[in-house]
Amino acid sequence: PVSLPALCPPPGDSDHPLFQAAAARGVCKVMCFHPWSDLTLPLMSLAEIRAVIDAWAELAAELGASYPWVQIFENKGAMMGCSNPHPHCQVWASSFLPNEARLEERTQRQHRRRHGVPMLLEYAEQEARRKERLVVENEDWLVVVPYWATWPFQTLLLPRRHVLRLQDLRDGERDSLASIMRRLLIKYDNLFQVSFPYSMGWHGAPTGPHLREDCGHWQLHAHYYPPLLRSATVRKFMVGYEMLAQAQRDLTPEQAAERLRSLPEVHYKQRPQ
C-alpha cells in the first residue's frame, strides 16, 4: 500500500454558528489487487482474492488500532470516476465517524435496544428464509438486493454469523468470502458483458477508542453500488424528483435479484467459444 494524506486542514476560526469546521486527522492508502493491470477481481483466482481479503483485514486492524473509522472502498471503472485503470482499492482512516457510519451506528444501536438482536443479523436471516431478493449464498455469506435498494443492481453482502469487523473473520470465512465475491462479480460482468463499474465498500464496527466499548449492535457488511441500468452504456442518474424528493426505483429489488440470480457463474470472457 502507498500512504497519502486523506484530509485537508480546516479553515480558520468562524465567527458564526452556520460556518463551522473542526480539525481532523487521517491516513489514505492505495492497494493494488494484482501485478497485472488488466486483471479485475472476477478474473482473479480464489487464492488471489483471498490475499486481497487478508490485506484488507490487516489494514483494518493496523489502522483501527488508533483511528475510529477505517473505510475500505473500491471505485471500479471510468463511469465511477476511476482515473487509474489498474485494479485497486483505497483505505481511508479518519479521526472521526463519517456521516454514513454515524447513521449506521444510530440505527443499529436503536434496533438492538428495541428488539434485542443486531439489525443486520436479523435481516440476513429473514432474507435467507424469504429468498426473493437473494442473489448468491454459501455456508457463511449471502448477497441480496436489499429491500431498500435505490440503485438498479445495488447489492448487500452479509455474513451469516455475528461478526463485528473484517479482522474478526475466521480462516474458512475468508475463503468463502473470496468465493462469493467472485461469484457476485462474475454475475455483474455477465449482466451486460462488460467490466461492470461500481463503488463498493466495507462497513464494520468503529475502532480506535470504540474497541473498548460494546459494539455488539454492529454487523459487518459490504455495499455494492453499480450505476448501470439497461445496458453497458445506459446508466442510472439520480436527478429531478430523486434528487429533490426521494429515490424512485426503475425496477424492484426482487426483479433485480432475479436477473442477477439467473446469470451464469462462468465469466463471459472464459466461456468456451
Side-chain angles (χ1 to χ4, degrees), residues 30 32 75 77 81-88:
V30 177
C32 292
N75 295 327
C82 182
S83 57
N84 184 347
H86 196 119
H88 67 284

Side-chain angles (χ1 to χ4, degrees), residues 21-242:
R25 296 179 298 105
V27 173
C28 172
K29 292 180 179 285
V30 177
M31 186 181 85
C32 292
F33 292 153
H34 197 278
W36 295 359
S37 62
D38 61 344
L39 203 62
T40 57
L41 283 169
L43 294 170
M44 288 166 55
S45 70
L46 290 177
E48 290 167 337
I49 300 173
R50 167 64 194 264
V52 170
I53 293 167
D54 287 339
W56 282 343
E58 182 179 340
L59 285 170
E62 173 193 330
L63 296 172
S66 54
Y67 287 101
W69 189 254
V70 180
Q71 183 59 68
I72 297 169
F73 65 96
E74 178 194 3
N75 295 327
K76 182 186 175 199
M79 194 175 285
M80 300 308 294
C82 182
S83 57
N84 184 347
H86 196 119
H88 67 284
C89 72
Q90 298 183 53
V91 185
W92 288 25
S94 62
S95 59
F96 61 94
L97 292 187
N99 292 345
E100 290 295 317
R102 286 181 180 274
L103 178 60
E104 290 195 0
E105 162 67 25
R106 183 171 69 249
T107 55
Q108 290 180 100
R109 184 180 291 277
Q110 288 174 347
H111 185 90
R112 191 179 70 159
R113 185 183 300 125
R114 292 170 181 170
H115 303 283
V117 294
M119 181 178 72
L120 289 180
L121 183 63
E122 182 179 11
Y123 177 70
E125 291 170 351
Q126 286 290 317
E127 290 287 29
R129 180 175 63 82
R130 297 168 186 261
K131 296 190 181 302
E132 58 191 337
R133 287 172 292 273
L134 190 67
V135 178
V136 287
E137 64 178 330
N138 60 26
E139 66 275 17
D140 298 314
W141 300 87
L142 66 155
V143 175
V144 300
V145 177
Y147 181 76
W148 55 86
T150 55
W151 293 94
F153 295 101
Q154 174 181 339
T155 55
L156 183 67
L157 171 58
L158 292 159
R160 295 181 185 271
R161 180 176 71 89
H162 188 202
V163 183
L164 299 186
R165 303 174 179 94
L166 266 172
Q167 53 268 44
D168 299 332
L169 292 175
R170 299 165 180 163
D171 189 67
E173 290 169 332
R174 297 186 185 197
D175 285 338
S176 57
L177 174 57
S179 173
I180 204 165
M181 281 176 55
R182 189 171 69 170
R183 291 171 64 196
L184 170 64
L185 297 180
I186 286 174
K187 285 179 177 290
Y188 270 161
D189 280 11
N190 284 345
L191 181 61
F192 299 125
Q193 297 201 358
V194 66
S195 185
F196 206 72
Y198 58 75
S199 281
M200 70 81 63
W202 284 98
H203 283 171
T207 48
H210 302 280
L211 292 169
R212 298 185 293 272
E213 301 173 357
D214 177 11
C215 292
H217 50 288
W218 271 88
Q219 174 73 328
L220 176 70
H221 59 282
H223 298 278
Y224 284 84
Y225 297 117
L228 294 181
L229 175 57
R230 296 187 184 91
S231 72
T233 57
V234 176
R235 63 170 296 170
K236 165 77 174 180
F237 289 96
M238 294 288 185
V239 295
Y241 187 87
E242 292 170 308

